[in-house]
């Protein structure tokens, strides 16, 4: 009976108009064409994979399961995986099992092309379906790290003026603490230089080749990936902050200055002193402006805990890395091991 209501096929040029319409219907917000093209058509790692369900009567799009081809770093080697994003079913067609049927259609296409895993960060609405119906595995919850850069109170005793003075006082106090920490860290590290850039630094590729084998599993973040993920993103103007020593990068962060959210944090030899110094330099640079705080979400084997050791932290149960292995090779089992992954806020589809 269901086959009389809908049919499923892959993506065809021109489907994006209906995809964006369904996105607005399901999620209640608009996605512009440029963002969709950046995520899917301009993605340099593979073709558009999707299971699209259409009404047989109206030929309107009523369901979608799609992924973004994403390079995976497996023990220092590059393999192609996919990130599950934008799963949606029209409210009037949620009794036909389209979530599972469109997903399995998409997975068959991925398996034909040898894609090893599909991963994602499902929200609280879709998480139960991914776990029960699509047989995904929960890998790890991320941790949220946060540091205040100013006062939260806009008014004190009903006075904006007092609130502003309080904010200035808090900023001054925090800046002095940050300066003290920076001086101590520089004594540990020796001579370093701080840089900011709007595009991936020229020296970054050598840095990546040096650190790529640190993780069992993570996203493959070479220069080409950063150029696509951040430099060409239509969503935000990201900033690269990095430290060099003898003209070589020893620590690098990517962050969104509008929200003061750190998307990436890396350090040579997992040097926590270098990572802390870089984060404190970012903090002190923006504390003099309007920023109220800086945050980061991530999960790994302990480096992030050390790098953000002076930050407030809490387990982000709303942000969980999950995945499904699509191939049966033995090395795919690495992807399913708890604590085997390094994942950051920049790995999600939420920035």
């Amino acid at each position: 009976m269901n086959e009389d209501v809908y049919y499923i096929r892959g993506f065809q040029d021109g489907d994006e108009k209906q995809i964006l319409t369904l996105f607005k219907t399901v999620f209640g917000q608009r996605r512009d064409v440029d963002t969709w093209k950046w995520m899917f058509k301009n993605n340099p790692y593979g073709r558009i994979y999707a299971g699209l369900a259409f009404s047989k009567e109206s030929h309107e799009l009523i369901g979608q399961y799609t992924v973004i081809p994403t390079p995976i770093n497996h023990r220092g080697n590059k393999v192609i995986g996919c990130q599950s994003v934008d799963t949606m079913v029209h409210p009037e067609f949620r009794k036909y099992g389209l979530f599972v049927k469109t997903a399995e259609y998409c997975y068959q296409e991925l398996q034909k092309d040898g894609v090893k895993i599909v991963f994602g960060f499902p929200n609280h609405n879709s998480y139960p379906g991914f776990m029960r119906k699509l047989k995904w595995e929960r890998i790890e919850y991320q941790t949220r790290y946060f540091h205040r850069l100013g006062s939260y109170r806009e008014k004190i005793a009903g006075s904006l003026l007092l609130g502003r003075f309080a904010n200035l006082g808090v900023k001054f106090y925090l800046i002095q603490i940050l300066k003290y920490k920076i001086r101590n860290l520089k004594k540990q590290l020796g001579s370093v230089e701080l840089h900011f850039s709007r595009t991936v630094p020229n020296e970054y590729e050598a840095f990546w080749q040096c650190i790529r084998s640190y993780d069992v599993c993570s996203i493959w973040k070479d220069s080409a990936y950063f150029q696509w993920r951040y430099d060409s993103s239509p969503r935000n103007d990201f900033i690269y902050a990095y430290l060099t020593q003898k003209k070589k990068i020893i620590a690098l962060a990517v962050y969104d200055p509008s929200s003061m959210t750190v998307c990436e944090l890396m350090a040579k030899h997992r040097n926590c002193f270098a990572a802390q110094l870089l984060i404190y330099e970012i903090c002190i640079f923006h504390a003099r402006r309007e920023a109220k705080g800086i945050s980061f979400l991530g999960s790994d084997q302990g480096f992030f805990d050390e790098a953000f050791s002076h930050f407030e932290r809490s387990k982000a149960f709303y942000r969980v890395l999950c995945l499904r292995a699509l191939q049966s090779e033995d090395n795919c089992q690495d992807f399913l091991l708890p604590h085997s992954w390094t994942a950051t806020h920049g790995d999600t589809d939420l920035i």
Side-chain angles (χ1 to χ4, degrees):
M1 180 178 178
N2 290 349
E3 287 74 11
D4 295 331
V5 176
Y6 66 85
Y7 61 93
I8 297 175
R9 62 165 172 79
F11 174 84
Q12 297 176 4
D13 284 338
D15 287 339
E16 54 265 36
K17 183 176 180 180
Q18 288 205 62
I19 290 172
L20 294 174
T21 299
L22 183 62
F23 187 92
K24 175 65 168 61
T25 299
V26 173
F27 297 112
Q29 54 186 333
R30 294 185 182 278
R31 170 171 285 164
D32 60 83
V33 175
D34 289 341
T35 297
W36 184 89
K37 286 182 177 179
W38 165 73
M39 292 175 68
F40 297 100
K41 272 201 169 178
N42 299 336
N43 182 296
Y45 299 105
R47 64 183 179 88
I48 298 176
Y49 293 98
L52 301 178
F54 293 85
S55 165
K56 278 191 173 181
E57 181 179 354
S58 65
H59 299 290
E60 292 182 358
L61 182 67
I62 57 175
Q64 171 187 264
Y65 185 95
T66 189
V67 297
I68 301 175
T70 306
I72 304 296
N73 178 23
H74 180 224
R75 299 182 182 271
N77 298 304
K78 181 181 177 182
V79 298
I80 293 298
C82 283
Q83 181 174 9
S84 175
V85 298
D86 295 355
T87 300
M88 50 190 180
V89 177
H90 194 285
E92 296 179 5
F93 293 88
R94 289 180 179 170
K95 60 183 178 180
Y96 297 110
L98 293 178
F99 170 62
V100 174
K101 291 182 173 66
T102 53
E104 293 298 345
Y105 181 96
C106 187
Y107 291 166
Q108 289 174 13
E109 296 300 305
L110 296 175
Q111 288 170 324
K112 289 177 186 177
D113 288 351
V115 176
K116 291 185 178 295
I117 65 163
V118 57
F119 72 96
F121 299 83
N123 61 33
H124 66 278
N125 291 322
S126 59
Y127 175 82
F130 277 92
M131 301 300 287
R132 290 199 314 267
K133 298 178 180 180
L134 298 185
K135 309 302 181 185
W136 279 40
E137 300 287 341
R138 185 183 71 206
I139 303 302
E140 197 159 24
Y141 293 102
Q142 291 194 310
T143 299
R144 181 178 186 267
Y145 306 88
F146 181 78
H147 193 294
R148 290 180 60 188
L149 299 178
S151 171
Y152 293 129
R153 303 185 65 178
E154 298 294 334
K155 296 181 181 180
I156 293 181
S159 171
L160 280 172
L161 185 60
L162 285 176
R164 288 172 182 170
F165 273 119
N167 189 50
L168 289 173
V170 170
K171 282 183 181 290
F172 178 79
Y173 173 71
L174 291 174
I175 286 173
Q176 299 313 306
I177 293 176
L178 289 171
K179 285 182 176 179
Y180 173 76
K181 291 178 178 178
I182 286 172
R183 286 195 297 269
N184 286 339
L185 287 168
K186 285 184 175 179
K187 290 178 183 178
Q188 297 280 347
L189 292 169
S191 177
V192 296
E193 294 184 23
L194 173 67
H195 310 265
F196 292 94
S197 174
R198 288 286 184 177
T199 56
V200 61
N202 293 330
E203 307 91 340
Y204 174 74
E205 189 62 28
F207 175 68
W208 167 250
Q209 295 302 326
C210 178
I211 69 170
R212 70 181 192 180
S213 297
Y214 291 175
D215 299 321
V216 177
C217 303
S218 64
I219 303 301
W220 180 272
K221 297 175 181 177
D222 61 0
S223 295
Y225 175 81
F226 273 179
Q227 286 166 359
W228 169 70
R229 184 70 184 86
Y230 296 111
D231 298 7
S232 64
S233 171
R235 296 186 181 183
N236 300 94
D237 292 323
F238 297 97
I239 293 178
Y240 297 83
Y242 57 103
L243 297 176
T244 59
Q245 197 167 52
K246 297 180 180 179
K247 298 184 178 181
K248 294 183 179 180
I249 296 176
I250 62 169
L252 179 139
V254 186
Y255 68 99
D256 176 1
S258 63
S259 63
M260 287 306 296
T261 301
V262 177
C263 303
E264 310 287 353
L265 181 64
M266 309 167 171
K268 188 175 181 180
H269 305 313
R270 301 285 201 201
N271 189 322
C272 294
F273 293 143
Q276 287 176 352
L277 175 58
L278 180 58
I279 292 297
Y280 293 152
E281 291 281 18
I282 295 172
C283 287
I284 204 168
F285 181 81
H286 288 279
R288 297 189 178 98
R289 292 162 173 77
E290 296 300 319
K292 297 285 183 67
I294 185 170
S295 65
F296 173 75
L297 284 116
S299 55
D300 72 343
Q301 293 72 51
F303 169 69
F304 294 146
D305 281 345
E306 292 298 320
F308 295 98
S309 59
H310 294 96
F311 280 43
E312 300 173 20
R313 72 183 64 179
S314 59
K315 190 63 71 174
F317 291 107
Y318 55 88
R319 186 71 59 79
V320 54
L321 171 65
C322 305
L323 63 84
R324 172 172 161 173
L326 298 177
Q327 307 294 337
S328 58
E329 295 99 319
D330 290 340
N331 59 13
C332 284
Q333 298 307 307
D334 272 351
F335 299 123
L336 300 174
L337 294 175
H339 311 299
S340 64
W341 277 81
T342 295
T344 68
H345 179 64
D347 298 341
T348 73
D349 64 325
L350 301 176
I351 62 172

